[in-house]
Amino acid sequence: YKDSEFLSIDLCAHVYERTRPGQVRGVPRGVAAMTRIRTLDDYQDARLEAAKAAACLVGAVVDIDGSAIGDAGEPDILPEKLEPGMFPRLAAGEDIRFNTPPSVSGHAAYVTVEQQSISIAYGVPYELLTNNMAEANYSSARISQQEFSRNLETTRKTMIEPLLNERIG
């Protein structure tokens, strides 16, 4: 690990796609997907936490007539700490109610659509970005890979090499 240090701008090469003559600055490829990437990550984290919490609380023992009261004068809602396979006693009584965990339907479809949007913004085929070949056959994967290779070659020749060579020269 090395501490960061200040570098002068004349030591940097700003590589960007030139979309008009005389352009001196550019927008990074994939900038349209940056918010989507963060949102997808937050969504995945939230789904994981919801699944963990649902796995902890199996059910509860509740008072049938609702007459049992906790220490603060109100019915106990949840214990202080959730643990896997828990069966807390919310109030004195004999009735047992089981927890219904949240549904996970639609999760895969949502993630796939978001990943496809991200791949479009970066100009990378979905199958190459995610390594998910479930919906691709050999021909479609091959065509997609060849097109991507041609696009990379064009990007290298029209953007990377000229800007780096201009800076180095």
Side-chain angles (χ1 to χ4, degrees), residues 25-126:
R25 287 194 167 66
V27 177
R29 179 173 281 186
V31 74
M34 290 180 184
T35 302
R36 282 187 180 277
I37 292 169
R38 177 59 185 256
T39 303
L40 181 59
D41 185 51
D42 291 345
Y43 173 76
Q44 297 270 52
D45 289 345
R47 290 296 295 246
L48 182 60
E49 289 303 315
K52 283 182 182 179
C56 286
L57 195 58
V58 174
V61 178
V62 296
D63 187 8
I64 295 172
D65 62 4
S67 62
I69 305 274
D71 295 339
E74 295 184 16
D76 294 334
I77 302 300
L78 286 175
E80 291 289 322
K81 183 178 178 186
L82 291 176
E83 295 176 5
M86 221 176 152
F87 223 99
R89 190 172 287 272
L90 299 181
E94 301 294 329
D95 191 19
I96 297 175
R97 307 251 170 92
F98 289 96
N99 185 30
T100 305
S103 170
V104 294
S105 65
H107 175 74
Y110 173 76
V111 170
T112 300
V113 168
E114 289 301 301
Q115 288 174 335
Q116 288 170 340
S117 298
I118 292 166
S119 71
I120 290 167
Y122 278 97
V124 177
Y126 169 77

Side-chain angles (χ1 to χ4, degrees), residues 7-41:
L7 291 176
S8 174
I9 191 69
D10 60 336
L11 297 176
C12 297
H14 185 61
V15 178
Y16 56 93
E17 186 174 8
R18 290 181 175 164
T19 56
R20 63 185 184 277
Q23 183 177 349
V24 294
R25 287 194 167 66
V27 177
R29 179 173 281 186
V31 74
M34 290 180 184
T35 302
R36 282 187 180 277
I37 292 169
R38 177 59 185 256
T39 303
L40 181 59
D41 185 51

Side-chain angles (χ1 to χ4, degrees), residues 143-160:
I143 290 170
S144 161
Q145 186 176 10
Q146 287 176 338
E147 181 67 22
F148 180 62
S149 295
R150 279 193 295 273
N151 288 342
L152 277 182
E153 186 64 21
T154 301
T155 299
R156 183 179 65 80
K157 287 182 178 179
T158 62
M159 183 174 73
I160 296 173

